[in-house]
Amino acid sequence: MIKQKDGVFPAVCPLDCPDTCGLLLHKEDGKIVKVTGNPDHPITQGAICNKVRNMTERIYHKERILFPLKRTGPKGSGEFARISWEEAVREITSRYQGLIAEYGPESILPYSFYGNMGILSVDGMDRRFFNALGASRLDQAICNSAGNAGWKYTMGFKGGTSPEDTEFADLIIVWGGNLISTNMHQVVFAEKARKRGAKVVVIDVHKNRTAQWADWFIPLYPGTDTALALGVMHVLFRDGLTDEAFLERYTLGREELREHVKSYPPEHAAAITGVPAEDIEKLAHMYGEAVVSFIAIGNGLQHHDNGGMNVRSIACLPALTGQWLKKGGGAIKTNGGYNAMDSDYLERPDLRPNPQARSINMNRIGEALEMTEQPVKALFVYCSNPLVVAPDTERVQAGFAREDLFTVVHDLFMTDTAKYADIVLPAASTFETTELFGSYWHHFVQLQEPVIERMGEAKGNVELFAMLGRAMGLDEQAFSETEEEMIAGALHYPENPYLNGVTLEALKEKRFVKLDMTPQAAYLDRLNMPSGKIELYSAQMQEAGLPPLPEYMPLKEGYDGNQRPGKDDSYPLMFISPPNHNFLNSTFANVEKHQRLEKEPQLQIHPQDAEARGIQDGDMALVYNERGQLELKAIVTDKMLPGTVISQGLWWDGKGHKQRANSLTSDRLADMGGGATFFSTVVQVKRQ
């Protein structure tokens, strides 16, 4: 495909998005001139989002890094000089060897996430390198770990409803997710269901694009999702809307839960959530009386102090009405368990000389860089931009500014993070590499082969970490495997029957291959729970010091006597920073076309809160707490309940303004899974 200068070539969207779209890349004279959707993809069917449609703006961006660079000025200045790859590798290996000799291998820490969802790039050769090196482990808990833990305590298996079946639901609840911006093809299935007469309900703190599209939007206070779920459960049990036969056969703890939720009548749940009691009654009856109901559990509600419990509580609802036995019924939190591959083969933990090496939670990177005992002396950042995405940014930036911290950043751009690096390495785009993609939503595995030549001296993650592994004298065989050998090995995993028939050969022929979903017929027998059942009562949670039944636990900042958020005297407003429509986390935030589409960083503030502060629509507002501050243009709107302010998108710092939302967020960890608590943030706002 690289050698052909003109034509249309298959590809895969690499973004951290559930849809994992099939793409077509249109080339002229060796350059991609247009990105369209692949109409032959059975799920995404040719529809793609605006972010990906404009991907060429990112690939051919004038500021793309094309050569290795070495810092020449102060950290943060962005002053660098070009060096050769030989010099870069020599500098990195020499520094690493010295640090290992003086401080031990755990003084080196990788920092990465899923800026590229390619399995070989972020769960493959990179892991081999840091395992063989003996580096500290990174607990990648910044996104979905709290919710995944909550789901696992209830359901065990990391999988739920098949997306294409959801068009047969007659009630679809989107809980804590902006699907139009983050999972557009689930919206397509919901529209098909609507044509059959289904209703769509959105539960969220903010009337986002998805809430505006819904038949009914239910706003609630941030972090009170568990209380709403418990109020719904109260009505379901009270009014005989539960499936008792299903509960008896497939669940554990139904009687304990039935008794427990008596303490959450709609009036009590209303006092906590801000949702009127009559709306809780209505929602419960809609859910209990629906023949087939489906819940799409979004990412937002897990980014709280009680985020795991929020998801755990919602995950109980399908069992109460027996939805798991109905086509299109149930829920999706993640479907990644269906395409689980051989991670031991990919990551090679057997290469690690120190199997008990410490693990550092990526949400606490600011704290980690302050440690004086067993200090972190080197960072290797790739597929992430922590100075924008990590919480408590000011603390993180102070850590990155340490002169004794040797930092390498591998990226396409001089990000806020890269400006603090000692060595910056040019990264290849996904369309310049060979990659394997699963999906954490649909059931297709996809192959990406290079479509364009590497730009400048850019290298993909597999090539980079294999080269570094050999330069460090690590296991020769592990760092000499080709991409195709790694793909074949990852897919050879008899422990996962869903991978039956998914092979390298099939992928090379078809580009996308569906998992063998035959085992899904025994879904309720494959939950991997101690009891073998859906656990409404969880002894595991009790052993972990958590309530064994769903229980509302208030956030740790800013509550009044009624346990409502946002009543702290100093910082009386809850601050939420959900994704915007034209960026994906910090990706695209430096691309002019995407910036124009998104316009500028803004603060949405309720008219009551604006009036109390003398703020009018269009005024510049200062948003602050003890961690940091933001300068944002105020938009006065009633798209949320009073006491909540919204700023969508993760913008890089620029034009002299403080606009990184995570300057305000805490690095506290969620109730389970070590998850982030981005949305459990209190602030004050004043007119600039």
Side-chain angles (χ1 to χ4, degrees), residues 12-21 49 51-52 55 58 112-119 122-123 140-145 148 178-179 181-184 299 302-303 333-334 336 362 382-385 389 430 437-442 579-581 583-588 650 678:
V12 186
C13 176
L15 298 179
D16 186 0
C17 168
D19 299 48
T20 321
C21 296
C49 71
K51 294 184 281 287
V52 182
M55 185 70 89
R58 174 173 163 82
S112 68
F113 203 61
Y114 292 97
N116 179 337
M117 287 294 288
I119 292 168
V122 291
D123 291 322
Q140 293 180 304
I142 202 167
C143 182
N144 57 10
S145 59
N148 283 352
N178 185 4
L179 300 190
S181 296
T182 63
N183 189 190
M184 62 178 285
N299 267 349
Q302 70 184 328
H303 291 156
K333 168 59 178 72
T334 176
M362 68 188 304
Y382 59 102
C383 291
S384 187
N385 186 8
V389 303
T430 183
F437 291 91
S439 168
Y440 52 90
W441 177 63
H442 64 64
N580 57 21
H581 194 65
F583 305 163
L584 201 158
N585 297 321
S586 75
T587 302
F588 301 109
L650 294 179
F678 292 118

Side-chain angles (χ1 to χ4, degrees), residues 4-53:
Q4 294 175 256
K5 297 289 186 180
D6 302 283
V8 180
F9 305 92
V12 186
C13 176
L15 298 179
D16 186 0
C17 168
D19 299 48
T20 321
C21 296
L23 304 178
L24 294 177
L25 306 182
H26 301 249
K27 281 174 63 176
E28 292 180 7
D29 196 25
K31 183 176 179 179
I32 300 169
V33 295
K34 185 167 66 171
V35 180
T36 61
N38 188 341
D40 294 330
H41 192 286
I43 298 296
T44 61
Q45 297 184 342
I48 59 174
C49 71
N50 204 43
K51 294 184 281 287
V52 182
R53 187 175 294 109

Side-chain angles (χ1 to χ4, degrees), residues 51-302:
K51 294 184 281 287
V52 182
R53 187 175 294 109
N54 292 302
M55 185 70 89
T56 54
E57 301 281 335
R58 174 173 163 82
I59 294 170
Y60 299 113
H61 196 287
K62 63 184 178 181
E63 295 176 359
R64 186 166 164 189
I65 297 170
L66 299 177
F67 309 100
L69 303 170
K70 184 173 182 178
R71 179 169 63 90
T72 58
K75 288 198 172 188
S77 67
E79 297 173 17
F80 290 85
R82 179 178 172 179
I83 59 174
S84 68
W85 267 105
E86 291 75 14
E87 290 173 286
V89 170
R90 186 165 58 247
E91 177 79 5
I92 293 167
T93 55
S94 174
R95 294 292 293 269
Y96 280 8
Q97 288 164 349
L99 290 173
I100 290 170
E102 185 172 358
Y103 297 98
E106 290 177 60
S107 64
I108 301 168
L109 175 68
Y111 192 100
S112 68
F113 203 61
Y114 292 97
N116 179 337
M117 287 294 288
I119 292 168
L120 304 187
S121 289
V122 291
D123 291 322
M125 193 63 78
D126 60 317
R127 304 292 182 97
R128 291 184 182 188
F129 176 70
F130 291 110
N131 275 333
L133 207 62
S136 290
R137 307 173 195 270
L138 184 74
D139 183 4
Q140 293 180 304
I142 202 167
C143 182
N144 57 10
S145 59
N148 283 352
W151 177 273
K152 186 177 180 180
Y153 276 130
T154 309
M155 300 297 299
F157 179 68
K158 284 177 61 176
T161 310
S162 294
E164 56 267 47
D165 289 346
T166 62
E167 68 174 274
F168 300 105
D170 58 355
L171 175 65
I172 295 174
I173 298 177
V174 182
W175 202 320
N178 185 4
L179 300 190
I180 286 178
S181 296
T182 63
N183 189 190
M184 62 178 285
H185 294 91
Q186 183 61 69
V187 176
V188 174
F189 289 123
E191 280 294 339
K192 290 182 178 180
R194 260 180 163 172
K195 290 179 180 178
R196 298 171 180 266
K199 296 296 183 185
V200 177
V201 177
V202 169
I203 302 168
D204 211 305
V205 301
H206 177 223
K207 195 172 187 179
N208 51 39
R209 291 173 183 245
T210 307
Q212 294 171 48
W213 157 79
D215 297 299
W216 185 23
F217 169 53
I218 303 175
L220 77 170
Y221 290 117
T224 62
D225 306 85
T226 291
L228 179 57
L230 287 164
V232 170
M233 292 182 206
H234 175 100
V235 176
L236 293 175
F237 278 117
R238 184 197 69 195
D239 293 353
L241 298 173
T242 55
D243 185 332
E244 293 299 317
F246 183 95
L247 286 169
E248 182 175 2
R249 180 174 178 182
Y250 293 109
T251 72
L252 176 74
R254 69 187 189 281
E255 294 306 326
E256 293 91 333
L257 183 61
R258 189 193 313 271
E259 186 63 28
H260 175 64
V261 299
K262 289 179 180 178
S263 61
Y264 284 90
E267 295 76 17
H268 179 48
I272 296 172
T273 64
V275 180
E278 56 269 28
D279 284 353
I280 297 174
E281 296 270 2
K282 177 183 174 182
L283 175 64
H285 275 267
M286 287 180 70
Y287 190 74
E289 294 166 7
V291 177
V292 181
S293 59
F294 165 68
I295 305 175
I297 304 176
N299 267 349
L301 52 85
Q302 70 184 328

Side-chain angles (χ1 to χ4, degrees), residues 448-461:
Q448 167 76 62
E449 291 183 306
V451 177
I452 56 174
E453 298 281 356
R454 301 278 177 88
M455 294 186 63
E457 296 180 5
K459 295 185 185 297
N461 288 8

